[in-house]
Amino acid sequence: FASPVDFTDPSVTYARTGIKNQFGTLVVPFDVNGSGADYDLYKLDQVCENELVLRMVDEDDNGGIVPAGTPVIFRLHDDLAGDYTLTLTAANTAVSGQLAEGSVADGLQLVGTYETTVLDENDYFISNNQFWRVYDAMAEIWSWGVKVAPFRAYIHPTWADARANSLSIRIADEDVTAVDALNAM
């Protein structure tokens, strides 16, 4: 995907292999269902201290469809993470090289990319089922910077400085025991 291109394709497939964690980020150039047989898609809802609260894409969001180029967070259904391949397909669909704005919550915006992107020090990337601030990760683990691969997303603060060094993930309206189990991963 070297440059933005728009076209219609009789069949389009996106596959990501080797998914080891339950949560990840995603942006694809075609419309996709917010729920599938093996995944659910989420957008940012709010930030509570060091916790990012996600809300599942549902019928109130464009009929449950995530428009092409819109960054989202996915969650694989139970017991699928480990070395999983997520496959998204569409038939007779428009493919768009344009990126859409992602959801915003409390000064954080989900940003998608179709190319490898080096993140700013206050951006957040997902790893091991939570979001990490680049500045803190570089100091501890990645001394050469943090890159986000194509067809993925990251969180960019809309204010000057990010607040937390990491953000755990919680799903809005889920019971506390499920949240505790996810955060313990």
Side-chain angles (χ1 to χ4, degrees):
F1 236 59
S3 62
V5 189
D6 293 339
F7 58 93
T8 300
D9 200 307
S11 177
V12 62
T13 299
Y14 169 82
R16 185 180 309 167
T17 59
I19 298 174
K20 301 201 180 332
N21 295 296
Q22 188 174 23
F23 286 94
T25 60
L26 178 71
V27 59
V28 294
F30 54 91
D31 293 352
V32 64
N33 287 325
S35 290
D38 51 358
Y39 69 90
D40 292 310
L41 301 179
Y42 295 85
K43 60 186 187 176
L44 305 181
D45 187 52
Q46 62 181 316
V47 179
C48 299
E49 296 183 24
N50 295 345
E51 187 174 65
L52 185 62
V53 181
L54 306 179
R55 188 175 67 75
M56 187 165 57
V57 172
D58 59 21
E59 289 300 316
D60 293 337
D61 300 304
N62 196 35
I65 301 297
V66 175
T70 304
V72 291
I73 298 167
F74 69 81
R75 178 170 77 167
L76 295 177
H77 292 170
D78 293 338
D79 300 328
L80 293 180
D83 192 16
Y84 189 74
T85 298
L86 176 64
T87 304
L88 305 172
T89 59
N92 299 317
T93 190
V95 177
S96 174
Q98 302 296 317
L99 290 166
E101 287 194 20
S103 53
V104 177
D106 301 322
L108 297 177
Q109 181 173 17
L110 195 57
V111 178
T113 183
Y114 287 145
E115 57 191 25
T116 300
T117 303
V118 178
L119 300 182
D120 293 333
E121 67 181 18
N122 283 316
D123 290 337
Y124 289 87
F125 65 97
I126 194 164
S127 179
N128 296 322
N129 295 317
Q130 68 180 35
F131 283 89
W132 300 88
R133 188 170 68 155
V134 170
Y135 176 81
D136 299 295
M138 284 175 50
E140 295 179 22
I141 303 169
W142 295 275
S143 60
W144 297 100
V146 175
K147 296 178 183 178
V148 172
F151 302 102
R152 292 189 173 66
Y154 59 95
I155 294 176
H156 179 75
T158 58
W159 67 90
D161 293 317
R163 7 176 197 207
N165 64 356
S166 66
L167 298 166
S168 61
I169 296 173
R170 179 169 60 92
I171 305 301
D173 302 326
E174 278 196 357
D175 62 22
V176 175
T177 53
V179 172
D180 291 340
L182 288 174
N183 287 337
M185 291 182 168

